[in-house]
Every structure is written in C-alpha cells, then in structure tokens.
Amino acid sequence: MGVSLRLRMVPGRYGIARLAQDAAVPDWAGGEGLWAVIQADDEITVVCLQERIPDEIESSRDWLCLRTIGPFAFDATGIVSSLVAPLSAAGIGVFVLCTFDGEHLLVAERDMAQASALLDANGHRFVR
C-alpha cells in the first residue's frame, strides 16, 4: 500500500461547466462552497455548486467532492495517484482540483459509495 490519506466530504453537489475561451468570468461562478475558474487556451471551466449554474450553460452535474486533509509538501509524490488509481482501475471517472493545501476529488454522485469503499480499502480514512 502506498500513501494513506485522511479525507473529508465537502458539502454540496457540484457542477462542472464549460464556457467559450473568450467568455467573461460569470458572477455565478463564485460564492459559497468550493469554486474554481480555470482558463485554458481553448475554453474556460467553472466548478461550483451546481444550483448556481444556469440551465442554458453546458455542464455536467451531480458531482460530490472529497478533500484531502493536508497540508502536504509541494514535492510530495503519490498523493493524487493514490486517490485516482484505485478508482480508475474500477472504471470510476474523477475530476481533480489541487489547491495550496490539498486535493479536491470530484466523483459522480452515482459512483460515490463505490469510490468511498475503494478508497477505504486502499488505506485512506474518512473523517468528519
């Protein structure tokens, strides 16, 4: 077994929205809960509580969020792979965001029970 992490659930249901590369950052992107705006050369991705995403915006909804309890050294290795590898091997897709002090792993709500069991079986522990 590799890295053993402590994880907690982040409250809320999240959506992942795609905007055009030249779109302005919308007012609805920020607010309570986890939120992130990522600009790439061909698109803008917004992650936020799904109830803030307007219906007409292209998005994927019903994601739940797990967060590692850090902080971790920036040069620490194996953090993300220890979370993603067992889920990927089971066919569970994830969306990962990293912050200064930890990782946020978004898992589709329909897969969360299985994902939690797999992470627990791989030595990770859930705390409240």
Side-chain angles (χ1 to χ4, degrees):
M1 188 181 320
V3 177
S4 179
L5 302 170
R6 292 181 309 142
L7 303 165
R8 68 174 174 85
M9 290 293 300
V10 175
R13 281 197 180 99
Y14 288 86
I16 304 165
R18 178 172 39 189
L19 305 175
Q21 70 182 40
D22 59 350
V25 175
D27 291 338
W28 52 260
E32 291 186 30
L34 169 71
W35 63 274
V37 177
I38 304 120
Q39 182 172 352
D41 62 354
D42 60 345
E43 68 175 310
I44 295 174
T45 298
V46 176
V47 177
C48 66
L49 290 168
Q50 70 182 17
E51 62 264 18
R52 291 203 303 259
I53 303 172
D55 291 338
E56 66 274 9
I57 300 296
E58 180 183 358
S59 65
S60 177
R61 296 171 185 256
D62 295 323
W63 293 83
L64 300 179
C65 183
L66 297 172
R67 188 194 196 294
T68 59
I69 299 173
F72 306 102
F74 275 180
D75 59 354
T77 61
I79 304 293
V80 174
S81 66
S82 74
L83 298 168
V84 173
L87 303 184
S88 183
I92 296 174
V94 299
F95 188 92
V96 179
L97 293 168
C98 296
T99 63
F100 197 92
D101 284 336
E103 289 66 38
H104 294 77
L105 187 72
L106 284 91
V107 178
E109 184 175 21
R110 69 179 179 274
D111 296 327
M112 185 55 83
Q114 182 184 7
S116 296
L118 286 166
L119 292 169
D120 185 65
N122 279 271
H124 303 299
R125 296 294 166 247
F126 290 85
V127 298
R128 292 183 188 249

